[in-house]
Amino acid sequence: MRNDPEVRQVVNTYALGLPRMPTAGRSGELLGRGTGSSLEFQEYREYLPGDDIRHVDWAAYARSDALVVRMYREEISPRTEILFDVSRSMTTGEGAKTHLTRQLTAVFAQLCGRIGGRPTLIALNDDRPLVPWGPEGVDRLESQPFDAVGNLAELLDAHAVPLKPQAVRIVISDFLFPHDPGSLIRRLASGASALWVIQLLTAWEADPTELGGRRLVDIEGGRSEERRVGKECRSRWSPYH
């Protein structure tokens, strides 16, 4: 996907925004907004119990009889986790959702790499536990099958998703599986420095039309039900359920 023209155009046009707080560690190439131990002075602030006394400005104390500490900017390597849905429901829309999922994953991975980060790609498949990819995973996207029958909620329940603390967490899915949206978002956001959620839907999935009597088949589990898709069904429809 690196050579996809649309991916290259986006990567060459945009930059990945960082959260206000540092995302991980003190060993990167990107100058962050947190305070740490790099050589660039940021500001003074009043000394608080527990502060490292090595950061106390004793010269300022001698002049003003007030304890202050010198704050420095921290160099960080942003940790980015890209979770992308490879379940069967992502194959609807004549492959459009599948193609866009690959493109978006490649875009975010390369944008992260451009600011000194090392992105982690996590295909939400049926492996237990899931096996994360490094930046080289971008080259595996085109061959990644979209045939999983499980879903993100089940993976979280099984503790199969290897999430790291203080990461920028990006989730790409259609979210077309039974779940409580608020609970799922809270679980995904737990421990993250930022959470970005992208929902991909076909036009019909986003705004289903009335179809009358139909046999509805679960593309992932294979279950089927006879239902009438009318006004009542449409009014209860939510792309999150």
Side-chain angles (χ1 to χ4, degrees):
M1 299 301 296
R2 296 181 190 274
N3 296 321
D4 182 294
E6 292 177 314
V7 170
R8 293 178 64 181
Q9 180 179 2
V10 173
V11 170
N12 291 330
T13 303
Y14 297 97
L16 190 66
L18 288 175
R20 295 181 61 84
M21 297 298 292
T23 54
R26 294 184 179 177
S27 58
E29 299 175 355
L30 185 70
L31 192 62
R33 298 179 182 177
T35 55
S37 57
S38 71
L39 297 179
E40 183 177 344
F41 172 71
Q42 183 175 355
E43 62 183 359
Y44 287 107
R45 72 161 171 78
E46 182 182 356
Y47 173 84
L48 297 173
D51 284 339
D52 190 334
I53 62 172
R54 292 174 299 178
H55 293 168
V56 172
D57 190 319
W58 298 108
Y61 175 71
R63 293 192 303 269
S64 63
D65 202 30
L67 281 176
V68 294
V69 293
R70 297 175 65 91
M71 306 296 291
Y72 298 88
R73 297 188 73 183
E74 175 183 48
E75 289 184 345
I76 60 173
S77 179
R79 176 185 293 146
T80 305
E81 298 171 337
I82 307 170
L83 286 62
F84 59 104
D85 191 345
V86 295
S87 64
R88 292 178 182 174
S89 69
M90 297 295 286
T91 63
T92 59
E94 299 181 345
K97 286 164 62 176
T98 300
H99 182 61
L100 189 54
T101 298
R102 291 186 172 117
Q103 287 184 316
L104 286 171
T105 302
V107 164
F108 284 119
Q110 291 182 79
L111 288 178
C112 176
R114 286 202 166 193
I115 57 173
R118 181 175 173 81
T120 298
L121 281 60
I122 304 175
L124 301 175
N125 53 36
D126 292 328
D127 293 342
R128 298 292 189 278
L130 299 179
V131 179
W133 304 341
E136 65 281 356
V138 172
D139 299 320
R140 301 171 56 180
L141 287 172
E142 290 188 81
S143 60
Q144 168 63 49
F146 282 65
D147 57 1
V149 298
N151 61 59
L152 177 55
E154 294 171 346
L155 289 167
L156 292 173
D157 287 341
H159 304 286
V161 188
L163 302 177
K164 300 293 185 181
Q166 296 301 309
V168 175
R169 197 165 293 155
I170 304 170
V171 185
I172 305 169
S173 174
D174 56 14
F175 295 95
L176 294 180
F177 49 85
H179 68 280
D180 175 70
S183 175
L184 183 67
I185 292 300
R186 286 191 295 271
R187 294 173 71 183
L188 290 171
S190 177
S193 63
L195 173 65
W196 302 340
V197 177
I198 302 172
Q199 184 180 37
L200 299 181
L201 298 172
T202 65
W204 188 88
E205 290 167 346
D207 186 19
T209 57
E210 298 177 27
L211 299 174
R214 287 292 188 274
R215 177 186 293 273
L216 302 180
V217 179
D218 183 345
I219 194 173
E220 292 166 359
R223 299 180 300 275
S224 64
E225 293 184 7
E226 299 286 347
R227 290 291 181 93
R228 178 176 178 80
V229 184
K231 291 183 179 179
E232 292 183 1
C233 179
R234 185 181 179 190
S235 66
R236 293 195 298 267
W237 175 270
S238 167
Y240 292 98
H241 292 275

